[in-house]
Structures are given as structure tokens and as C-alpha cells.
Amino acid sequence: MKKAKEIGNYHIGIDVGTSSAGWAVMNDEYSIIRHNGKRMWGVNLFDSGQDAQSRRTKRSGRRRLERRKKRIALLQMLMQEDVLKADESFFIKLQTSFLHRYDDFGRTHKYNLFNDKNFTDKDFYSEYPSIYHLRKALIEETKQFDIRLVYLAIHHIIKYRGNFLNEGTSESFNGYSKEYIENYFKEMGESAEGYLDKIDEIENILLDNSKRRGDKIDEIKALYLSKYDKAFIAQFAKAVLGQKFELGTICVQDNIIGENGKPITISFSDSDYEEKAEEYADMVGDGAPLLGALYSL
């Protein structure tokens, strides 16, 4: 490279992006300086950084499946004695009938699951076209059902269990009290200053069943003056009212952003909330106790 006194004053410009870094050397007239006949500028390309979301999603999926397997194994343990009295190969057929027509006892079956003299798969699907027809029948009819049918219905319920919300959380709020609301704000530590003073007003608004949820949110926001307080308390109200809320805001974590660059929103009313609870806890890190306290409201 030429000596600095031969080149004169020069400037180095750098542009760093998510997957590239560009550079250029210019003089005072902003012309690119040459070295050995080549312009002194260029760009280096590299793979953009990856967050942990994909790994977190896969990890949460594995945990979800493992919990499901444990629930089903526990159900089989509790019911196996009565079920096996009715059909000693019932569980074996549940697990392997889609692969072959014989069980571990060496017997060949014409049907996948029910092969009784007076009740076969054909009869089962004729009477119960879907598992929900069976569940409906078990609820409404007073007759004694085959224990295998009872098992199939419970198996479906615990396999796809949905979300167990506390009674009254989305509409009536009859289970709420100042103590539960206070516990959430106390989890915020010093950030809770200013919110604890208005717990009585917040509780009264939430318990007023004559108001719509949107009106309740507006009234709770009106309790505060600053834009930050209004934004935060609005997310709090949405969460306890069963609406979508910003996960990062409610857990005092500003960096909980989705792939679209927008804040991640969730709802306690989502049918898969409990299935994803651990994933959300991983996302918020130290804010997990806040999310747990809020969910317990």
C-alpha cells in the first residue's frame, strides 16, 4: 500500500448488515482510492445469525409429546385390569393393528379393534361415526357401556386435552380478588410502583359483569396518565380478560419479538396454551414467574 503521505487524507466507510459487511476507502472528494490498480472497496458475505426459536419449538414439541405419552401410559395402568378382562389383546391391537392383522398371541383378526361375535369395527363405526359421537353418547345415555368404549373416549380427552381455564376467568371473574392481582404486581418488584395503589379500582372494574371487555380495558387504562402505564395496563387487562396480549410487555421483557419483527402475542384462552406454556416460559426467561402469576388470576 502507498504511504499515507502519498495517498493523503482518506476515510474508511463500513456498512454492516445481518448477512454482509461492506467497506470502502475514500479520499476527501469521496472518490474510491485505488491500490495496485484495484478500487479499495468490497463486501464480505456470511450466514445471518439464527435465534433459538427453531430449537426451542422442537424442544417444546418433544416435551409435549413426552407428557402426552405419560398421560396415556397412566390411563392404561389405571384401566388395564378391567379392559383386559373384556379383551386381553385390546391394547396390543391399539398399538399394532394398523401394521398387521395378528396380535402377539398369534391370532389373526379380520377387524382392527373390535372383533367380538356381536360387535365388530363395522358396528362401532356405524353407531359412532366419530370419537365425538361416542363421547356424546357416554355423557347423555344412562346405559352401561363397554369398558373399551369408555377407555377410547377418555384416551381421546387426555390426548387432546385442550386448555383448563380457571372457572370464571374469561367472563364472570367471580374467582378474582385483590390478593391475586396484588401477587402479580408484587412479582414485578420495583416496576410495580404506581400499580399497587390502584388495585381496588382495577378489581372493581374487572368484577363488573355489566360492562363489556372492551369497556373494562378502556376504564382501566383511564386510571393512568403516562403512555407507558396505559400501554402496560392495557396488556394486563387484555390478559386477564382472555384476549390476545403482548407476551414481552406483560413479562417486562422488551425483546420478545416474532419472526415478522412484531411483538409475540398469546392468549390464555387459546386451546393449546397449556401445551405451549413451557415454550413461553423459555421465551420470557426471568419473566416466567410473572407469566405464571398472571395465569393464576
Side-chain angles (χ1 to χ4, degrees), residues 32-192:
I32 302 297
I33 297 175
R34 289 178 178 271
H35 174 64
N36 292 334
K38 297 181 180 180
R39 291 181 179 273
M40 298 178 66
W41 64 354
V43 62
N44 291 327
L45 302 177
F46 47 84
D47 294 333
S48 59
Q50 302 293 324
D51 59 24
Q53 183 172 356
S54 60
R55 298 197 304 274
R56 183 166 56 237
T57 300
K58 292 177 181 178
R59 182 172 64 248
S60 297
R62 291 194 298 269
R63 290 173 177 172
R64 186 161 56 249
L65 291 175
E66 185 62 28
R67 290 195 298 269
R68 178 185 294 177
K69 290 179 181 178
K70 289 182 179 179
R71 293 197 302 269
I72 293 175
L74 178 59
L75 176 65
Q76 289 188 1
M77 182 186 71
L78 294 173
M79 298 188 66
Q80 67 176 350
E81 182 177 351
D82 293 322
V83 170
L84 295 181
K85 286 180 182 178
D87 186 347
E88 61 182 353
S89 64
F90 181 74
F91 293 132
I92 297 172
K93 287 184 289 186
L94 268 179
Q95 297 172 1
T96 63
S97 62
F98 65 95
L99 297 173
H100 48 71
R101 295 291 187 181
Y102 59 88
D103 57 31
D104 287 4
F105 298 99
R107 295 172 296 199
T108 302
H109 297 281
K110 180 179 179 181
Y111 299 100
N112 286 343
L113 198 55
F114 296 101
N115 199 42
D116 300 352
K117 183 177 181 180
N118 299 319
F119 191 74
T120 65
D121 286 358
K122 185 176 181 181
D123 300 317
F124 173 72
Y125 289 111
S126 175
E127 190 169 354
Y128 309 110
S130 74
I131 190 65
Y132 294 100
H133 288 85
L134 174 59
R135 288 170 56 172
K136 182 174 184 294
L138 286 168
I139 293 172
E140 296 179 349
E141 298 179 19
T142 57
K143 69 178 184 180
Q144 183 173 347
F145 282 82
D146 187 312
I147 187 64
R148 293 171 295 179
L149 298 180
V150 176
Y151 173 84
L152 289 176
I154 299 177
H155 176 279
H156 184 261
I157 291 171
I158 68 169
K159 185 176 182 180
Y160 305 104
R161 59 181 183 164
N163 184 29
F164 298 99
L165 293 174
N166 295 331
E167 182 179 357
T169 56
S170 62
E171 294 295 342
S172 67
F173 294 98
N174 290 329
Y176 285 93
S177 70
K178 181 168 62 177
E179 178 184 357
Y180 292 109
I181 300 173
E182 187 176 28
N183 286 339
Y184 168 74
F185 288 124
K186 283 183 176 179
E187 285 288 347
M188 294 173 59
E190 295 180 359
S191 301

Side-chain angles (χ1 to χ4, degrees), residues 114-286:
F114 296 101
N115 199 42
D116 300 352
K117 183 177 181 180
N118 299 319
F119 191 74
T120 65
D121 286 358
K122 185 176 181 181
D123 300 317
F124 173 72
Y125 289 111
S126 175
E127 190 169 354
Y128 309 110
S130 74
I131 190 65
Y132 294 100
H133 288 85
L134 174 59
R135 288 170 56 172
K136 182 174 184 294
L138 286 168
I139 293 172
E140 296 179 349
E141 298 179 19
T142 57
K143 69 178 184 180
Q144 183 173 347
F145 282 82
D146 187 312
I147 187 64
R148 293 171 295 179
L149 298 180
V150 176
Y151 173 84
L152 289 176
I154 299 177
H155 176 279
H156 184 261
I157 291 171
I158 68 169
K159 185 176 182 180
Y160 305 104
R161 59 181 183 164
N163 184 29
F164 298 99
L165 293 174
N166 295 331
E167 182 179 357
T169 56
S170 62
E171 294 295 342
S172 67
F173 294 98
N174 290 329
Y176 285 93
S177 70
K178 181 168 62 177
E179 178 184 357
Y180 292 109
I181 300 173
E182 187 176 28
N183 286 339
Y184 168 74
F185 288 124
K186 283 183 176 179
E187 285 288 347
M188 294 173 59
E190 295 180 359
S191 301
E193 187 176 352
Y195 298 111
L196 288 168
D197 297 337
K198 298 185 182 297
I199 288 181
D200 289 329
E201 291 93 329
I202 293 173
E203 180 189 22
N204 291 334
I205 294 172
L206 290 176
L207 290 172
D208 190 345
N209 293 327
S210 66
K211 294 184 175 69
R212 297 181 304 173
R213 283 183 287 187
D215 294 334
K216 292 181 180 181
I217 294 173
D218 290 339
E219 289 188 19
I220 292 175
K221 286 173 59 178
L223 296 174
Y224 300 89
L225 298 177
S226 76
K227 289 185 178 180
Y228 175 84
D229 289 336
K230 286 180 179 293
F232 174 81
I233 205 64
Q235 297 302 319
F236 166 83
K238 288 179 179 179
V240 298
L241 287 164
Q243 295 186 344
K244 291 279 186 182
F245 63 91
E246 295 178 2
L247 180 61
T249 299
I250 214 66
C251 293
V252 199
Q253 303 286 329
D254 297 331
N255 58 344
I256 311 299
I257 305 298
E259 293 181 351
N260 58 1
K262 297 181 179 179
I264 293 176
T265 59
I266 66 172
S267 172
F268 292 138
S269 297
D270 290 341
S271 60
D272 61 348
Y273 174 78
E274 286 213 350
E275 297 291 335
K276 295 183 177 180
E278 288 191 21
E279 179 181 344
Y280 297 142
D282 289 342
M283 287 184 185
V284 299
D286 294 338

